[in-house]
Amino acid sequence: MKNTITGRRLAEVDGLRAVAVLAVVLYHYFQAYPQYSPYGAALLPLAKYGDMGVELFFVISGFVITLSLSERPWPLRFALKRLARLWPTLVVCSLITFVFVHSVGSNFTQDIRGDLSGFAASWTFTSQRFWHSVFGFDGYVDVVYWTLAIEVRFYLLAAVICWLVPKGRFGSVAPLVLLIMQAIFAVVEFAVAGLVPQVVIETLFLAYAHLFAAGITFAAIYSGAHDKRQAALVFWAFSVAFYRAEDNWEVAFLVLIFLAVAACALRLRVAQVLAWRPLAGLGLISYPVYLLHNYIGVTLLTLLPAGLLSRDLRAGCNRCLGGHNNPVDDHLSTS
């Protein structure tokens, strides 16, 4: 992405996008569909945390949109620019995915195929729950599209906040709005479970508001705001993420996510590793990779002979150890 302040492309942010999409790909290929996988879920156990790449994507979105809104573009221009970045690629990738899963026969594709009605939710960036409950339509062409609906809702709310607050105040006001909104509904839900309708939780992306708030705050830091307010907002956002974490590994990866984005925001030298050309290059195409990787990639993996990757891994271990048996080989051969 380009810094709208300096005009320089932020290769470090592209690198973060690459890390995020790689994590999601690993999750879907090694953990999301073990019942269809020829190697189950035991080959790469840590990949189960790869879905946290989505959380990194949301933090990045908060960062990027804040820089995009720094000059307070006209509402129509902002909307058209966002639409031009998202919709054409989505249309092409969804058509490719739809044709592919209807052309390749496997147990996986038989279970995830939908009809043409799935394009309604997919192409409008809206909730598949709405289309299914009102019209009986199928869900998204590919299940990963749910994040796009969340992103677009954030864009809309961010734009409204930007045009309501004085120029230059978005970075300090928007995170507070998101975090307070999230906290209020959390308290209400805690006091009376089920009181907050699911449609409200989805529409206001309450489960992810703290991640967008963190990204906005990091963008403010990148733009020169270095005071206690920003530190407090980052701490608040991280505290929510910490509370929602399910185990210590998830906490560890959350720490890495926040530290990586903080390094970019503070322009630390260590962040330059993210600007490594192959990594940043992958970040440039992370959006189509994200849209295409799931159903297509998983379908291809499910067509592999059972145990193929495990045998390759054993062979690699034997070559590295001079052809001798080793604990990894013994474990794989008995699993």
Side-chain angles (χ1 to χ4, degrees):
M1 68 154 292
K2 284 188 177 180
N3 181 348
T4 56
I5 298 174
T6 66
R8 183 179 70 87
R9 183 158 196 94
L10 300 180
E12 296 86 352
V13 175
D14 291 329
L16 283 174
R17 285 195 178 103
V19 171
V21 78
L22 285 173
V24 174
V25 168
L26 289 175
Y27 169 71
H28 285 136
Y29 287 0
F30 292 97
Q31 293 293 320
Y33 308 99
Q35 67 275 31
Y36 300 103
S37 171
Y39 45 81
L43 192 58
L44 195 60
L46 279 180
K48 74 176 184 177
Y49 299 100
D51 61 342
M52 296 182 68
V54 171
E55 299 189 25
L56 176 54
F57 270 129
F58 289 159
V59 176
I60 294 171
S61 290
F63 188 101
V64 170
I65 288 300
T66 301
L67 297 183
S68 298
L69 290 172
S70 60
E71 298 178 355
R72 299 188 76 181
W74 287 101
L76 182 59
R77 180 185 177 188
F78 174 76
L80 290 176
K81 187 175 181 180
R82 290 291 101 193
L83 187 63
R85 289 177 65 89
L86 296 178
W87 199 73
T89 304
L90 172 63
V91 169
V92 173
C93 291
S94 61
L95 288 171
I96 293 173
T97 300
F98 184 86
V99 171
F100 183 88
V101 299
H102 282 79
S103 301
V104 179
S106 72
N107 290 336
F108 178 70
T109 55
Q110 289 176 3
D111 287 346
I112 54 92
R113 283 173 187 161
D115 59 34
L116 291 172
S117 65
F119 286 102
S122 301
W123 286 4
T124 57
F125 303 107
T126 50
S127 171
Q128 61 180 0
R129 183 191 301 271
F130 164 76
W131 292 97
H132 181 73
S133 61
V134 176
F135 301 104
F137 286 0
D138 281 343
Y140 299 121
V141 173
D142 191 316
V143 69
V144 299
Y145 298 173
W146 71 269
T147 62
L148 302 183
I150 299 294
E151 294 267 5
V152 168
R153 290 170 203 159
F154 164 65
Y155 296 161
L156 293 174
L157 181 58
V160 171
I161 296 173
C162 178
W163 297 316
L164 288 178
V165 302
K167 186 175 182 179
R169 297 285 294 167
F170 176 82
S172 58
V173 173
L176 205 55
V177 171
L178 291 172
L179 291 169
I180 290 176
M181 175 184 71
Q182 185 184 55
I184 290 174
F185 281 102
V187 170
V188 172
E189 183 66 17
F190 179 79
V192 185
L195 183 62
V196 181
Q198 185 64 31
V199 64
V200 173
I201 295 175
E202 289 186 3
T203 302
L204 297 179
F205 50 90
L206 295 176
Y208 311 101
H210 59 290
L211 301 171
F212 293 111
I216 295 171
T217 306
F218 282 128
I221 293 172
Y222 179 84
S223 299
H226 298 159
D227 56 36
K228 294 180 179 178
R229 180 193 293 264
Q230 277 69 46
L233 289 171
V234 170
F235 178 76
W236 186 347
F238 179 80
S239 297
V240 176
F242 178 84
Y243 175 78
R244 294 173 59 87
E246 296 181 356
D247 57 38
N248 291 336
W249 276 107
E250 193 163 325
V251 171
F253 285 119
L254 279 170
V255 170
L256 289 176
I257 287 173
F258 274 71
L259 287 178
V261 183
C264 294
L266 294 169
R267 310 183 192 214
L268 301 181
R269 181 172 297 180
V270 68
Q272 293 178 4
V273 68
L274 293 167
W276 183 46
R277 184 169 296 179
L279 196 65
L282 175 59
L284 289 174
I285 60 171
S286 59
Y287 181 47
V289 170
Y290 178 79
L291 295 177
L292 290 170
H293 83 278
N294 187 35
Y295 281 176
I296 293 177
V298 173
T299 297
L300 294 175
L301 287 174
T302 61
L303 297 177
L304 293 175
L308 176 63
L309 293 187
S310 295
R311 292 197 301 272
D312 289 345
L313 183 59
R314 287 201 300 273
C317 290
N318 284 332
R319 284 195 298 271
C320 291
L321 297 176
H324 299 293
N325 290 333
N326 58 82
V328 174
D329 183 53
D330 293 340
H331 171 73
L332 288 174
S333 64
T334 58
S335 60

